[in-house]
Amino acid sequence: MNIPNLIPFRTKTPPTPNRTRRAVVALGGGGARGLAHLGVIEVLKQTRVQVQRYVGVSIGALIGAMCAIDDDILHVQGRVMGFLDSPGFDHHQQQLFGSANVPNETASTGIMAWYDRAKYLYSAHRRLTRAVTQQSLLHDAILTASINELIPDVEFSDLPMPLSIVTADLRSGHRVVLESGSVRRAIHASMALPGIFPPVEHNGMLLCDIGVVDSIPTAVASAYANDLTILVDIGQRNARMEKFDTAMDVMMRMQDIGEQILRREKTELADVHIRPELTGISWFDFQNPEEVMDRGRTAASEEFLRHSFFHTGSSEAAESATGDHPKPNPAIENVRFR
C-alpha cells in the first residue's frame, strides 16, 4: 500500500536557501516512553526549524499540549520531573500496578504468605468482574488527577501554539481530531486506554485512545504541513515470539502485528522520522525519566545531522509560530475535525 497516494496533500512550499524551515511535529503514543519526546523537542529547539503545530496521540497529546502552552522546554521538563517525583504520582502508580503481579513466594511464609496470596486473588477477581460488567478495569480519577496536575484549565483557543489531539470515536468508528474546547478533556480522551480507563463522552461521541491501533499521527500532521512533517515514534520495535499458549496470546500478537505494519506504512508520510532507541523501557516504567529523555536527545541529534536544514548557523529571523495556519484538507478519509 502506498499511503502517500491515498491522502490528498496540501502543496508544500518549495525550499529556498538559508530560509527558516517550519514543521508540524507528530508525537506518537507509548506511555512512559513518551518522555523521549521531551528530549527530542529540546534538541529541535536548538535548530533553525520553527515548530508550526504539535499533533499528538495519547502521551504525545499530553507532551504536545505542555509544549504548546509553554515554549520553554527546560521548564516543561522540570515540571514533568517534579510531578514524577511527587507523592501524588507514587500513589497513582501504586493504584495502577500495586497488585498487578503475583506476590513473590519467598517474600513471606506461613500465615502472611497465605494472606498475600489471598489478597492478590481477591484483587484479580475484582478486576475480572469489572472487565465483564463495566467499561474499564480502572476508574478515571487517576488519569484525571495526573492531567490536571500538568495542564492548566485552558481552551484550545487560549494556546499560543496550535495543537491537534487525535483520538477515536467508538460509536462512529472514525478517527477524531480535537482542536476546540477543553484541552484537559481532549487529552483525557486521547489517553483513555481502551478497557483500562473508561471512554470519554464528548459532544455525542464516545472517545478513547487510538494509539493501540494507530500510534503515530502522521496523516493528520501531514495534512497541516506546508513545509516539513517531523515524526517522533516511540513505539515498541517488532520482536520475534515463539510461544502462544492461549487464545489471548494469539489475539494480542495479531493486534501488535497490525499496529506495527500500519506504523511502518505511515512513516512514509513524514519528512523526518525520529525513533529513539527505547529497548528495555516499558510503557509504564517511569523509574528513569532522565535516561529516557536523553535517548530522545540522542536520536534527534543523530537524525538532524542527516538534514542540512536543521543545522545551526546564520539565518533569517525566525518566522512567527502563530502566523497563518492552514486548515487541513477535509477529504482525508475517516477523519473528523472537532
Side-chain angles (χ1 to χ4, degrees):
M1 178 187 299
N2 191 343
I3 288 184
N5 293 335
L6 299 181
I7 298 179
F9 286 94
R10 181 177 301 277
T11 302
K12 295 194 175 184
T13 304
T16 57
N18 296 323
R19 77 173 180 86
T20 298
R21 305 294 297 271
R22 304 182 74 188
V24 175
V25 180
L27 303 174
R33 299 158 67 90
L35 295 171
H37 289 319
L38 295 170
V40 171
I41 294 170
E42 178 186 343
V43 177
L44 176 60
K45 293 280 189 180
Q46 299 168 9
T47 73
R48 292 168 50 189
V49 173
Q50 186 83 24
V51 177
Q52 178 182 1
R53 172 183 294 268
Y54 292 106
V55 180
V57 165
S58 194
I59 189 69
L62 177 63
I63 299 299
M66 293 188 72
C67 293
I69 292 167
D70 186 350
D71 189 54
D72 185 343
I73 185 60
L74 298 182
H75 184 247
V76 172
Q77 290 174 354
R79 291 196 62 218
V80 171
M81 295 290 284
F83 174 66
L84 295 179
D85 287 336
S86 69
F89 180 76
D90 287 340
H91 179 65
H92 296 331
Q93 287 292 91
Q94 289 171 12
Q95 286 181 288
L96 280 170
F97 306 113
S99 59
N101 297 317
V102 178
N104 187 336
E105 297 295 343
T106 62
S108 56
T109 59
I111 188 66
M112 289 308 298
W114 177 88
Y115 172 77
D116 288 342
R117 186 73 180 178
K119 184 171 65 173
Y120 165 76
L121 292 174
Y122 173 74
S123 176
H125 170 73
R126 186 173 57 182
R127 295 192 183 194
L128 178 60
T129 300
R130 285 186 61 88
V132 297
T133 62
Q134 300 186 41
Q135 284 185 328
S136 65
L137 292 174
L138 299 172
H139 296 288
D140 62 1
I142 301 171
L143 191 56
T144 300
S146 298
I147 294 169
N148 291 352
E149 183 71 23
L150 292 169
I151 301 293
D153 187 12
V154 295
E155 305 278 307
F156 278 87
S157 58
D158 299 323
L159 301 179
M161 168 74 68
L163 171 70
S164 301
I165 291 178
V166 187
T167 182
D169 178 18
L170 292 173
R171 292 187 174 125
S172 69
H174 289 135
R175 179 192 292 118
V176 175
V177 183
L178 299 175
E179 299 175 335
S180 62
S182 169
V183 174
R184 283 178 172 176
R185 190 158 184 82
I187 296 169
H188 190 166
S190 189
M191 296 185 72
L193 193 64
I196 305 300
F197 295 110
V200 176
E201 287 279 359
H202 181 72
N203 294 341
M205 300 176 290
L206 192 61
L207 304 177
C208 68
D209 186 350
I210 197 174
V212 293
V213 293
D214 189 9
S215 63
I216 53 174
T218 44
V220 176
S222 298
Y224 275 107
N226 57 6
D227 189 2
L228 300 172
T229 300
I230 299 174
L231 165 64
V232 187
D233 179 3
I234 56 169
Q236 299 273 7
R237 296 179 185 271
N238 190 26
R240 182 175 179 82
M241 295 180 64
E242 299 293 343
K243 293 184 63 177
F244 304 93
D245 296 328
T246 68
M248 185 61 70
D249 290 339
V250 175
M251 288 188 289
M252 293 297 291
R253 177 59 169 170
M254 280 307 303
Q255 177 177 302
D256 289 343
I257 291 172
E259 190 275 331
Q260 291 188 38
I261 289 173
L262 181 60
R263 185 197 300 146
R264 285 196 295 269
E265 292 175 344
K266 288 184 65 179
T267 58
E268 298 176 15
L269 303 178
D271 300 292
V272 179
H273 179 201
I274 301 168
R275 191 170 192 187
E277 174 52 60
L278 296 171
T279 301
I281 307 295
S282 300
W283 68 272
F284 54 84
D285 182 6
F286 289 92
Q287 295 299 309
N288 299 292
E290 184 58 46
E291 177 189 344
V292 179
M293 284 192 284
D294 199 50
R295 294 192 191 191
R297 295 183 189 103
T298 298
S301 298
E302 292 175 352
E303 181 61 28
F304 292 166
L305 285 175
R306 300 187 179 99
H307 305 276
S308 61
F309 47 76
F310 283 108
H311 297 172
T312 57
S314 59
S315 65
E316 304 168 358
E319 299 174 17
S320 171
T322 55
D324 294 331
H325 303 291
K327 299 301 287 183
N329 191 321
I332 299 179
E333 185 178 3
N334 286 335
V335 178
R336 301 293 182 267
F337 291 85
R338 303 285 178 171

